[in-house]
Amino acid sequence: MAKIMNKTTFLTLSLLISIFLFCTPGYTQIKTVNVIVGNNSVGTGIINKGTVYVPVKSVTNALGKSCKWNPRQKRIIINGKNVVGKAIRYRSTIYIPYYEIANCTGIASIYDGKSQSVIYSYEANSSNIASFMGNTKLIKTASIPKSSNIKSNTVAIKAPAGGFIEEPFIPVVGENDVFKVAVTNVENKDQVKAQSVSNPSNKFVIVHLSQQNVSDEVQIYTGKFALMDNKQRIYEYSEGLSNFWLVVLRPGGSNFGYIVFEVPQESEPAKLILSTTSRPPLALNLK
Amino acid sequence: MKKVFAFFFCLCLLVITAMPIFAKEKVTIELWHAMRGEKKEVVDKLTANFMKENPDIIVNTKAISTPDLRLYGNNYSCLYRQLIQGLAEGKQPDISQVYENWTTQFVEINAITPFSHFDNTPYAMTEADKKDFIPLFKNACSYNGVMWTIPFNKSVFVLYYNKDILDKYGVKVPKTWKELKEASIKIAQSDSSKYGIIYTPVVDAIGHLIYSNNGSFIKDNKPTFNDNIGVEALKYWTELANAVDGKAGKPTFNSYKEFLDGNAAFTIETSARIEDVKNKCKFHSGVATLPSGTSKAVQCAGTNLAIFSKDETKKLASWKLIKYLTNTENNAELAMKTGYLPVRYSTYNSPIYKKYVEKFPGYKVGMEELKYGVTQPRTSAWESIRGLISDALFDAVSNVEEPEEALNRAADISKDLLTGVK
C-alpha cells in the first residue's frame, strides 16, 4: 500500500472522505415515540428534525378514518382532506406530522414529551387527554426543541433531500452445498395487501430474498424459511400474504420473491433461517 | 373309508394352499385433492362407488385444507406444498389434482406418468375417448403433444348480477366492458348503499380485459402484461375504483360474500360458484357471459388429475380410477352437483345433463363461453408472476401507484423470474 500510495495522497484522500462523510446530508439520530389512540397503542412514531411523525395508515385505521394517496397531486388525503405537511418514508412506512391527522379529522391530538407519546382522543379537548395521562405536563407544539435529549432508544437513519428518509439495507448472502440464499431488503409495514396486523402491537416484517440451487441435482422441495428475532423467538411466514412460491429448482435455477412475517412491534429481525429436509438449517444474519 | 377320507383331506389341502394363487391381491392407492363441502362429497361418493365396482382396489382420499388462510394460503397452496414435500421425500400420493403450471414442473422432473403409458394395456385411451374431451381442456393437459393429465374440475369466469338492482335502475346486462363500467357508475350514483361491481383484486381481473382485447401476459418467455393493453386493463379498474367516491368498483378480498349479501350489482367469479349463487342469494340473481373488449375471451379455471405413482400396479389402479372419475356418467354427476363444467362432449350432450341445464338458464352460460376459452400461462414462474401482477393491481386501485408504473415494476421482476426459475 505504502509503495502505491505516498503519504500526501493518503492524507488528501482521508481528508476528502472525512469532508464527504461530514457533509452528507441527513445522517441523524431519530427517537421513536409511542402512538396511542384512545387507550390503545397503535404503533411507533418517530421524531425527525424536531418534528413528531406518526405512521399515517395505522393511526387513520385506528381512528376509523379514510386515508388515500392521490398519485396525480402527490398528496395524502385523510378523511377527504389534503394533508398539507410533508410526509416522510422510513423503512417503507409513510409518516406524517402527528397534528396533520388532527387537522384533517378534527380529533384532538397531543404530544407528551415526558412519556414520549402521541395521544389521539375522541374527547376533543386537551384536559381530557391530560386526565388520561395522569396530568402529565403537555407539550402543545408539534416541534420538539433540537436540544431535547434524543440519545436514548435511537436509530440511525439517512435523510436524503426531498423529505424521504430511508435506511438502506445491505444485502446478506448465505450458502451451503445446496442453496445460496440472498436477502436483498427487509421492510417493516403495518399493512400488506389490505391485511392489517392481527394485533395492534404487532408489525409485518417483509423479507425480500432469492434462492439459488448451487448443487448438481434437481431440488424438488426447496425448504421453508423462518425468522428469528433479537429475543431468539422464531416466526413462521404468512404464505397467504407472501409472494414466494415454492418451485422445483434445477441446478443453477433461482427463485425469488418476498415473505411476510407478523412479529411484535419491538421485535428486531436477527436471522433468516432456511430449513430443508436434507441439510442442517442455513441461517443468515440480518443485522 | 380310509381311502375316501384321505382323498377328501388331500383335496381340501389342495384348495386351501391354492387359494392365494387365485385370490387377487388388493392394491391401495391414495388420491389427494383440495375440494370441500359439496364438491368433496361428490368425490367421496364417486370413489366409494369405484371401490364397489373394483373390490381389488382400495382408494384412500385425502382432502387437503388449510388450517389458516393467512398463515398457510388456500387449500390449493397447501396441496401444492404437500405435493412437492411428498415428492422430495418419496411420500407423494398416487393421484392428485394439479394446475397446468404445476404440471410443467412435474413433467420436467418426470414426477408424473403420461396416459400413453397405458396404451398397450386393455385400459388404453381410445381415439374416440381422446376426441371426446373438449379441446380447450385437453390441450391444457398436453405438453409437446402428449397428454399428461386429465381435465377434472373445470370452470370459466362468468358475470353474476343482482337482477333486482338492475331492474330497479333500468340497467341492462352489459355486453361490453365499456357498458359494464357505465352500468356500475350509474348504479353507484343512483343508490349510495350499493356498489356497482365488486371484485377480487387479483391477476384474473386484469386477465379478463387483457385477453378480451387480444393481449397476453407473457409472450416468448417475456412479460407483455405491461404493454398498452395491460396498462389500459389496469386503468379500467383504477378508474372504477375512483369513480363515485369508490362506489362504482370495489376491490375486496371478500367480494363474493359481499355480492351474496346483496351489496353490489355485479361480480365476476367462476362458473363453479353457480350453485352457491343460485341457492344462497336472497335476491333474484342472474349469470351472463363476461363482457367483450375488442374481441371475446374468457379465462378458464380449475384443475386436472395426474398420476404420481412409481409402482406399476398402483399406476394401473390409478389410471382406472381416473378413467372412472372422468367417464361420461360421473363427469355429469360432478358437473350437476357442483357447477363445474362437463369436460367431455358426451357429458354435455347426455340427456341427463341436457335436462339439468334446462332447469336454470345460468347453467348454459359456462358452456357457451367455452368457445372463447383461454388459459393462463403454464410457465413454472407463473405462480410468482401472478402474485406480482396482483400486487400491481392492488397498488393501482388503492392509488398507491400509477397503473403503468405498477405494471412496469412487476414486469421488471417477472423478466428475472422467467429466466431465473428453471
Side-chain angles (χ1 to χ4, degrees):
Chain A
M1 187 74 175
K3 283 178 186 172
I4 301 168
M5 196 184 293
N6 64 36
K7 199 176 175 182
T8 317
T9 313
F10 179 75
L11 282 171
T12 311
L13 269 177
S14 302
L15 188 66
L16 278 171
I17 289 167
S18 305
I19 291 168
F20 174 75
L21 286 175
F22 184 74
C23 295
T24 301
Y27 275 101
T28 183
Q29 294 292 104
I30 278 221
K31 189 167 76 169
T32 57
V33 298
N34 194 19
V35 183
I36 295 165
V37 170
N39 292 326
N40 299 320
S41 171
V42 297
T44 306
I46 55 176
I47 299 174
N48 181 43
K49 294 181 180 172
T51 299
V52 180
Y53 288 83
V54 293
V56 62
K57 280 265 184 186
S58 306
V59 177
T60 50
N61 275 351
L63 291 169
K65 300 293 177 188
S66 66
C67 176
K68 288 183 175 179
W69 171 248
N70 185 331
R72 287 159 195 88
Q73 294 180 341
K74 308 276 182 201
R75 286 222 171 270
I76 293 170
I77 301 161
I78 295 174
N79 202 31
K81 292 175 185 168
N82 276 339
V83 170
V84 181
K86 190 184 278 183
I88 60 173
R89 187 194 297 269
Y90 172 54
R91 289 183 169 178
S92 297
T93 298
I94 304 290
Y95 293 81
I96 59 171
Y98 80 95
Y99 50 84
E100 289 288 350
I101 293 179
N103 290 343
C104 294
T105 62
I107 293 169
S109 67
I110 205 131
Y111 172 73
D112 173 49
K114 193 173 177 186
S115 64
Q116 298 177 6
S117 301
V118 174
I119 306 142
Y120 291 87
S121 171
Y122 290 97
E123 316 299 329
N125 67 62
S126 302
S127 62
N128 282 346
I129 297 174
S131 161
F132 166 75
M133 288 300 296
N135 289 317
T136 51
K137 189 184 171 190
L138 301 174
I139 299 170
K140 293 184 181 177
T141 58
S143 296
I144 306 301
K146 287 188 177 179
S147 58
S148 64
N149 175 14
I150 56 169
K151 282 178 186 166
S152 62
N153 193 22
T154 56
V155 286
I157 58 166
K158 188 184 175 188
F164 285 85
I165 52 176
E166 285 164 356
E167 184 185 28
F169 178 85
I170 299 162
V172 288
V173 179
E175 72 182 296
N176 57 24
D177 60 328
V178 180
F179 294 117
K180 184 176 186 177
V181 176
V183 174
T184 52
N185 199 10
V186 177
E187 302 175 278
N188 292 279
K189 280 188 179 176
D190 299 316
Q191 217 178 36
V192 177
K193 292 179 185 170
Q195 300 274 326
S196 297
V197 285
S198 58
N199 182 331
S201 59
N202 285 356
K203 65 179 175 181
F204 289 127
V205 170
I206 302 162
V207 178
H208 297 258
L209 75 153
S210 70
Q211 180 179 18
Q212 187 181 20
N213 175 7
V214 291
S215 75
D216 297 330
E217 291 173 5
V218 172
Q219 298 299 325
I220 298 171
Y221 177 60
T222 52
K224 176 116 184 162
F225 286 96
L227 186 77
M228 182 193 276
D229 74 1
N230 51 336
K231 292 181 181 170
Q232 316 270 298
R233 294 172 295 195
I234 305 276
Y235 302 94
E236 279 185 76
Y237 73 90
S238 298
E239 290 189 32
L241 298 179
S242 304
N243 191 28
F244 185 78
W245 184 255
L246 293 183
V247 287
V248 173
L249 285 180
R250 286 186 284 177
S254 293
N255 185 22
F256 49 89
Y258 62 82
I259 50 180
V260 180
F261 299 90
E262 185 175 348
V263 301
Q265 278 283 358
E266 81 282 359
S267 182
E268 286 295 326
K271 285 181 180 178
L272 183 74
I273 300 164
L274 170 65
S275 298
T276 55
T277 47
S278 61
R279 296 288 185 283
L282 172 63
L284 279 80
N285 286 323
L286 299 177
K287 299 195 83 174
Chain B
M1 186 62 188
K2 266 186 183 173
K3 279 183 184 170
V4 175
F5 177 77
F7 173 73
F8 275 108
F9 179 78
C10 291
L11 194 67
C12 287
L13 206 65
L14 191 70
V15 169
I16 290 165
T17 49
M19 264 175 79
I21 299 168
F22 297 113
K24 254 187 170 176
E25 203 174 317
K26 286 197 173 189
V27 57
T28 302
I29 55 171
E30 197 161 42
L31 163 68
W32 287 5
H33 65 84
M35 291 177 165
R36 54 195 163 163
E38 185 81 21
K39 298 173 170 83
K40 178 183 175 296
E41 282 173 26
V42 178
V43 172
D44 288 344
K45 185 187 160 194
L46 293 180
T47 47
N49 290 347
F50 172 78
M51 285 192 281
K52 275 184 203 159
E53 290 180 26
N54 296 272
D56 54 326
I57 301 174
I58 297 168
V59 183
N60 292 327
T61 55
K62 184 175 166 186
I64 312 264
S65 68
T66 180
D68 181 327
L69 196 64
R70 189 147 123 172
L71 201 54
Y72 299 105
N74 63 26
N75 293 347
Y76 284 96
S77 308
C78 289
L79 171 62
Y80 175 74
R81 188 178 57 253
Q82 291 196 25
L83 268 178
I84 53 172
Q85 266 182 286
L87 277 168
E89 294 166 16
K91 293 175 184 169
Q92 72 275 22
D94 298 288
I95 307 170
S96 177
Q97 283 181 293
V98 288
Y99 281 109
E100 286 84 6
N101 58 319
W102 304 0
T103 310
T104 304
Q105 301 182 68
F106 296 144
V107 169
E108 285 172 0
I109 59 167
N110 296 317
I112 57 177
T113 300
F115 300 117
S116 54
H117 184 79
F118 307 99
D119 278 355
N120 298 321
T121 72
Y123 308 99
M125 197 187 278
T126 62
E127 279 309 308
D129 212 14
K130 284 179 193 167
K131 282 181 186 163
D132 193 26
F133 283 105
I134 289 165
L136 175 74
F137 296 145
K138 190 172 75 178
N139 293 340
C141 290
S142 304
Y143 294 75
N144 299 324
V146 177
M147 206 167 167
W148 288 82
T149 57
I150 292 283
F152 183 48
N153 58 317
K154 307 301 285 186
S155 56
V156 285
F157 283 93
V158 294
L159 180 72
Y160 291 103
Y161 56 89
N162 183 322
K163 199 169 178 303
D164 294 348
I165 298 178
L166 265 58
D167 288 349
K168 188 175 176 183
Y169 298 107
V171 173
K172 286 183 182 171
V173 178
K175 288 191 164 35
T176 64
W177 292 106
K178 186 170 174 279
E179 285 176 10
L180 176 64
K181 187 193 262 185
E182 287 164 357
S184 298
I185 290 171
K186 183 178 177 183
I187 285 158
Q189 283 171 339
S190 308
D191 187 341
S192 61
S193 70
K194 304 290 180 200
Y195 291 98
I197 182 166
I198 197 160
Y199 64 97
T200 311
V202 294
V203 63
D204 305 320
I206 302 184
H208 303 316
L209 283 121
I210 286 182
Y211 285 122
S212 63
N213 285 296
N214 295 311
S216 58
F217 281 113
I218 296 166
K219 218 172 192 176
D220 301 326
N221 211 40
K222 286 179 186 141
T224 48
F225 57 79
N226 60 330
D227 62 11
N228 285 343
I229 295 170
V231 172
E232 286 305 314
L234 191 44
K235 277 184 182 169
Y236 181 89
W237 294 117
T238 309
E239 283 161 13
L240 269 174
N242 286 313
V244 202
D245 200 23
K247 290 274 181 182
K250 184 186 178 187
T252 166
F253 290 99
N254 206 23
S255 63
Y256 179 57
K257 188 182 172 299
E258 287 205 34
F259 177 76
L260 291 186
D261 290 343
N263 298 341
F266 304 104
T267 195
I268 296 173
E269 277 288 345
T270 73
S271 53
R273 298 276 201 189
I274 202 159
E275 283 298 324
D276 245 20
V277 172
K278 191 165 124 318
N279 299 327
K280 289 186 184 167
C281 283
K282 289 179 183 150
F283 50 84
H284 295 97
S285 61
V287 190
T289 62
L290 278 191
S292 306
T294 52
S295 64
K296 194 160 180 70
V298 177
Q299 294 173 99
C300 291
T303 69
N304 313 303
L305 292 174
I307 295 178
F308 288 85
S309 307
K310 293 294 166 206
D311 175 272
E312 286 301 323
T313 315
K314 289 190 174 196
K315 274 184 189 175
L316 188 60
S318 300
W319 176 226
K320 283 182 187 175
L321 175 60
I322 289 179
K323 283 190 85 172
Y324 182 83
L325 290 175
T326 57
N327 70 23
T328 305
E329 186 190 338
N330 292 328
N331 183 223
E333 170 95 0
L334 182 75
M336 293 186 299
K337 289 271 170 63
T338 62
Y340 286 121
L341 296 176
V343 296
R344 291 175 175 275
Y345 284 120
S346 58
T347 306
Y348 181 58
N349 293 320
S350 66
I352 190 170
Y353 189 76
K354 279 190 179 295
K355 198 175 166 190
Y356 160 80
V357 293
E358 288 308 322
K359 286 183 197 166
F360 179 62
Y363 289 149
K364 291 180 183 169
V365 174
M367 286 305 286
E368 284 166 11
E369 283 194 331
L370 274 185
K371 52 182 172 287
Y372 309 110
V374 290
T375 49
Q376 289 184 353
R378 304 197 302 191
T379 175
S380 307
W382 176 239
E383 210 65 42
S384 302
I385 295 172
R386 269 179 69 92
L388 291 169
I389 302 170
S390 298
D391 286 354
L393 168 66
F394 190 77
D395 285 348
V397 296
S398 310
N399 288 325
V400 171
E401 206 166 11
E402 292 283 5
E404 193 167 1
E405 289 168 18
L407 284 178
N408 284 341
R409 184 168 46 81
D412 279 348
I413 306 170
S414 300
K415 268 182 213 163
D416 295 336
L417 273 166
L418 286 166
T419 51
V421 174
K422 57 182 181 180

